[in-house]
Amino acid sequence: NLADTKTKAQGLFTFGGTATNLYAIKIGTKKASINSGREGMPKNVKVIVTKDSHFSHTVSADWLGIGTDNVITVEPNLDRTSNLKDAEKKIRKVFEEGNLLSTIIINGGTTYNHTIDDIKSFIELRDKVVKDFSLPYKPHIHVDSVIGWIWLMFKDYDFVKNDLKLDRETLFSIKKQYRKISYLKYADSWGVDFHNGAGACPVPCSLIMFNKMKDLNLLSKKEGSSVNI
């Protein structure tokens, strides 16, 4: 409800923010190589992350057998948001070289400067590349929003009435962050840490939300489990 998703969404509780990224990459890998659970990880699978990404992004690539050498980093703009032109160049290069792209993980207000990327533009970029290369699948887009999700709490806040009497500068900053994070509904998945932001929760208390419940079919033990593009 906070994310205002229009699709049938579902989440999984897990052991921490690291695991939310682990799930996202696993789902992306199954999209790129549906038989990878049976045949093993293809050697040409790539993962794209941001410059200021949490260390768990590369850790997840290690744990899943993709390898940290196959993690590609997108350069940032001056405000530390990810540079879309650099992202497009690197995404296209993956496919031009005949590789598979599992997952694109972008900033959603993580531990580094609360930076939130232009989520909707990344979705549009991904869809454009899929069309240009006539791909049979869509690389999974995950927003690492384990801290930034908390701004969703301002979904119904009246910024004009401002009942909390927030000062002008604070109000502007919160409104800006909420506007950016409100685009989570366009991503494939996003992470939540209840111990970050909300407080008073056990450390291993996280959630990964899938905006399309059918993506969870890719975690099924049934061989050949798939999801439509």
Side-chain angles (χ1 to χ4, degrees):
N1 290 335
L2 287 173
D4 195 31
T5 55
K6 305 302 182 185
T7 50
K8 192 172 183 180
Q10 185 168 332
L12 296 174
F13 285 98
T14 189
F15 63 82
T18 295
T20 64
N21 297 313
L22 188 72
Y23 270 116
I25 296 177
K26 175 61 177 176
I27 290 288
T29 300
K30 289 296 291 291
K31 287 182 177 180
S33 178
I34 193 62
N35 294 319
S36 57
R38 176 170 53 87
E39 299 174 350
M41 189 65 65
K43 293 183 178 180
N44 64 335
V45 171
K46 306 293 181 181
V47 175
I48 286 182
V49 302
T50 60
K51 185 69 173 181
D52 294 331
S53 64
H54 192 263
F55 65 84
S56 63
H57 298 185
T58 52
V59 166
S60 296
D62 175 8
W63 287 357
L64 288 169
I66 293 174
T68 57
D69 285 350
N70 287 315
V71 176
I72 300 168
T73 303
V74 175
E75 293 301 316
N77 298 308
L78 290 176
D79 64 356
R80 307 311 295 175
T81 58
S82 301
N83 186 289
L84 276 163
K85 288 185 177 180
D86 186 62
E88 180 171 5
K89 180 179 70 175
K90 289 175 176 174
I91 290 171
R92 288 183 178 279
K93 185 177 180 182
V94 168
F95 297 113
E96 288 167 356
E97 294 180 347
N99 295 313
L100 299 171
L101 179 55
S102 161
T103 307
I104 303 167
I105 305 182
I106 58 178
N107 295 315
T110 50
T111 51
Y112 304 102
N113 202 33
H114 288 271
T115 300
I116 300 175
D117 282 330
D118 187 342
I119 299 170
K120 196 171 182 181
S121 290
F122 266 93
I123 299 296
E124 292 170 350
L125 170 59
R126 186 272 311 271
D127 291 348
K128 177 184 176 183
V129 173
V130 166
K131 183 178 179 180
D132 289 348
F133 284 87
S134 300
L135 299 178
Y137 71 99
K138 288 185 178 181
H140 192 82
I141 290 190
H142 177 74
V143 183
D144 189 0
S145 53
V146 294
I147 290 178
W149 75 275
I150 198 69
W151 301 116
L152 292 175
M153 293 295 182
F154 284 88
K155 174 177 177 285
D156 297 316
Y157 188 72
D158 189 330
F159 288 96
V160 176
K161 192 175 180 182
N162 191 21
D163 287 334
L164 295 177
K165 307 301 180 185
L166 300 170
D167 65 78
R168 187 174 180 179
E169 183 178 357
T170 301
L171 191 69
F172 174 80
S173 295
I174 292 176
K175 186 177 181 180
K176 181 180 179 182
Q177 289 295 79
Y178 169 70
R179 180 182 57 79
K180 288 183 176 182
I181 206 66
S182 68
Y183 290 104
L184 279 176
K185 58 188 175 185
Y186 296 108
D188 294 314
S189 63
W190 43 284
V192 171
D193 277 2
F194 291 108
H195 52 281
N196 287 328
C201 294
V203 172
C205 185
S206 298
L207 176 72
I208 178 170
M209 287 297 303
F210 294 94
N211 285 339
K212 294 181 180 178
M213 192 175 71
K214 63 182 182 179
D215 279 358
L216 287 175
N217 291 338
L218 294 170
L219 295 177
S220 172
K221 298 296 189 294
K222 185 177 180 181
E223 185 175 324
S225 297
S226 62
V227 60
N228 294 327
I229 191 169

